[in-house]
Amino acid sequence: MLATSYRTAYNEDHEAFRDTVRRVFAEHLTPHMDEHEANGIVPRDVWKKMGDAGMLCMTVREENGGLGLDFGFNCVLTEELSYLGSSAGFTLQNDITANYFERLGTPEQRAKYLPGMVSGDIITAIAMTEPGAGSDLQGIRTTARKDGNHLVINGSKTYITNGQNADCVIVVAKTDPEKGAKGISLVLVDADTPGFERGRNLDK
Ligand SMILES: Cc1cc2nc3c(=O)[nH]c(=O)nc-3n(C[C@H](O)[C@H](O)[C@H](O)COP(=O)(O)OP(=O)(O)OC[C@H]3O[C@@H](n4cnc5c(N)ncnc54)[C@H](O)[C@@H]3O)c2cc1C
């Protein structure tokens, strides 16, 4: 574990949070890491422990059920995960999906998902990559076509962090193939949506 006392990026509150993170990881994550790696999944009860300790979606504003902290707290958590060598997908929820919900979501979507994402009751994922499209995201083939007041999505995704236990997946799909990058949308797909299927758990 690196000594962090000489760095100026963090204040006392960040360092107090780091102590909490180390304590909670030591109790609930470190002893089970081999099992998580072997099974390729971090079980839901561990997510709950993280949520209970205030270690999920720390930047989410109070009115959306969060603590309204600065991004430095996310950085502390990411550093501590890295020191452990854990690939747990908490950072995806903390750093990426929470921001999509908070900045781009409707008030209804924020109310439906964010409090659960903070508490660890809701696990999220973002599905961009496809078997035939990675860095060049414009090459995705997944489409979302309007059908009345529904969207019908066709396509498959791969390498999705938290994909095996996500309750809600932000799916990147082409809604207007003529418009290039501007014709790509983010679609919220609850895992219990008819037709949604999880693939094989990849060793990644
Ligand atoms: C641990 C892990 C977690 C992931 N989690 C997610 C997730 O949650 N959601 C999700 O959607 N995806 C996820 N991915 C997929 C990840 O986003 C893709 O692997 C990434 O976009 C690269 O795509 P690719 O693997 O198809 O590689 P490619 O795009 O085929 O690239 C292969 C190589 O070519 C290089 N390359 C590509 N284009 C160029 C270029 N124009 N010029 C020069 N070099 C280039 C790349 O740097 C790379 O070295 C995850 C991947 C990993 C490994």
Side-chain angles (χ1 to χ4, degrees):
M1 191 105 35
L2 296 182
T4 55
S5 54
Y6 60 89
R7 292 191 299 175
T8 54
Y10 299 114
N11 60 32
E12 281 178 9
D13 292 339
H14 294 125
E15 293 308 337
F17 180 69
R18 187 185 302 280
D19 291 341
T20 303
V21 171
R22 287 184 178 175
R23 184 176 45 74
V24 174
F25 280 176
E27 192 175 345
H28 299 294
L29 191 63
T30 318
H32 309 291
M33 266 175 49
D34 288 347
E35 181 194 325
H36 298 167
E37 287 293 327
N39 296 336
I41 198 163
V42 176
R44 214 161 254 283
D45 63 294
V46 180
W47 282 80
K48 272 299 291 168
K49 298 287 183 201
M50 300 303 132
D52 290 347
M55 288 164 49
L56 291 176
C57 307
M58 294 77 79
T59 58
V60 167
R61 292 190 293 268
E62 288 183 40
E63 67 260 33
N64 291 324
L67 295 168
L69 299 174
D70 64 65
F71 195 76
F73 290 83
N74 292 33
C75 297
V76 167
L77 192 128
T78 303
E79 284 183 356
E80 294 301 319
L81 268 182
S82 306
Y83 296 153
L84 280 187
S86 166
S87 57
F90 311 132
T91 52
L92 181 113
Q93 182 143 313
N94 291 352
D95 304 349
I96 302 177
T97 55
N99 291 301
Y100 281 124
F101 281 95
E102 191 150 58
R103 294 180 193 187
L104 305 176
T106 62
E108 292 76 20
Q109 289 165 343
R110 289 200 289 268
K112 179 177 174 188
Y113 295 100
L114 281 170
M117 290 169 66
V118 171
S119 67
D121 289 299
I122 295 179
I123 300 173
T124 55
I126 180 154
M128 302 175 280
T129 308
E130 300 183 355
S135 309
D136 182 12
L137 206 53
Q138 282 197 57
I140 61 164
R141 300 181 69 178
T142 297
T143 55
R145 186 178 45 80
K146 266 208 163 157
D147 180 19
N149 58 358
H150 294 278
L151 281 172
V152 178
I153 300 176
N154 273 301
S156 58
K157 300 288 182 178
T158 189
Y159 280 132
I160 309 307
T161 300
N162 301 337
Q164 292 299 321
N165 54 2
D167 301 291
C168 174
V169 182
I170 301 172
V171 176
V172 179
K174 283 194 170 164
T175 38
D176 189 344
E178 309 294 308
K179 287 195 181 157
K182 299 241 181 278
I184 293 179
S185 302
L186 303 175
V187 185
L188 285 186
V189 179
D190 287 326
D192 58 4
T193 304
F196 176 91
E197 279 176 25
R198 297 180 210 270
R200 188 168 58 85
N201 198 0
L202 298 178
D203 185 16
K204 69 177 173 74

